[in-house]
Amino acid sequence: MELVRPRLGHYKAAMAADRDFEAVGEEPYTGCKGPIGYLGWLALVEQFAKPERIEDGENPNEIYFLVDDEGDICGYGQLRMYDTPDALSWAGHIGYSVPPSKRGNGYAQMLLDMLLEMGFERGMQRILLTCDVDNDASRHIIEKAGGEFEGFYRDHEYHKRLYWFYKKG
């Protein structure tokens, strides 16, 4: 398993994963319907990762694919390195998603562990994770990884559980 930044060579795997989400009525991760759309998505991924986004009131968001030896996408991860209002409330510093047919294989736990390690290695001292209050699978993954429950966040759009991770040593 490898955690990599999205690139053009992932097009077929990304489309297969999108179809996997759509087959169970979930929102496709990239939302692209063809090569041109995927190229546009890749350009957005690059733009959304830039720290300058903070100046526009947005949350810089690095996207990663968890790819297996066959090139299949087994998960998607987001790392938000900055303490923006969104990251410190509903979004958290890390997000992850696993295509439905890949669930139950430990990929979400693997993604979370890899993204936590990446964040701490890059200088983060504390990392907030959130999950919907009714998402027991995600809650279990976060708690298994050692997240410390802090409480809840609720507004007109979100109702989240909040968990903190702290750099050791």
Side-chain angles (χ1 to χ4, degrees), residues 32-164:
C32 302
K33 296 295 181 192
I36 300 300
Y38 184 70
L39 282 172
W41 182 79
L42 287 174
L44 286 175
V45 165
E46 279 298 312
Q47 288 301 311
F48 287 145
K50 294 183 177 182
E52 306 85 78
R53 306 275 311 173
I54 294 172
E55 296 168 13
D56 297 328
E58 296 186 22
N59 195 22
N61 189 4
E62 299 173 17
I63 304 290
Y64 295 91
F65 291 164
L66 180 66
V67 180
D68 67 13
D69 293 338
E70 289 79 43
D72 291 335
I73 295 173
C74 297
Y76 297 91
Q78 302 91 31
L79 180 61
R80 303 173 192 102
M81 292 286 300
Y82 304 95
D83 286 343
T84 63
D86 288 350
L88 293 174
S89 59
W90 64 270
H93 293 106
I94 290 176
Y96 54 87
S97 183
V98 174
S101 69
K102 303 286 187 183
R103 293 175 184 161
N105 294 302
Y107 297 134
Q109 197 76 57
M110 190 180 303
L111 261 169
L112 177 53
D113 292 344
M114 293 169 116
L115 289 166
L116 283 167
E117 182 179 344
M118 181 185 293
F120 289 134
E121 284 177 355
R122 290 174 57 191
M124 297 177 79
Q125 298 299 308
R126 63 188 187 136
I127 296 174
L128 179 67
L129 262 83
T130 71
C131 67
D132 292 338
V133 294
D134 60 353
N135 188 340
D136 290 332
S138 190
R139 177 185 56 80
H140 175 72
I141 289 162
I142 294 168
E143 290 174 354
K144 185 176 177 184
E148 296 178 23
F149 179 70
E150 178 175 295
F152 298 94
Y153 172 83
R154 184 179 204 135
D155 66 12
H156 66 283
E157 192 173 353
Y158 302 105
H159 191 190
K160 303 280 189 172
R161 293 177 181 272
L162 307 175
Y163 293 88
W164 282 102

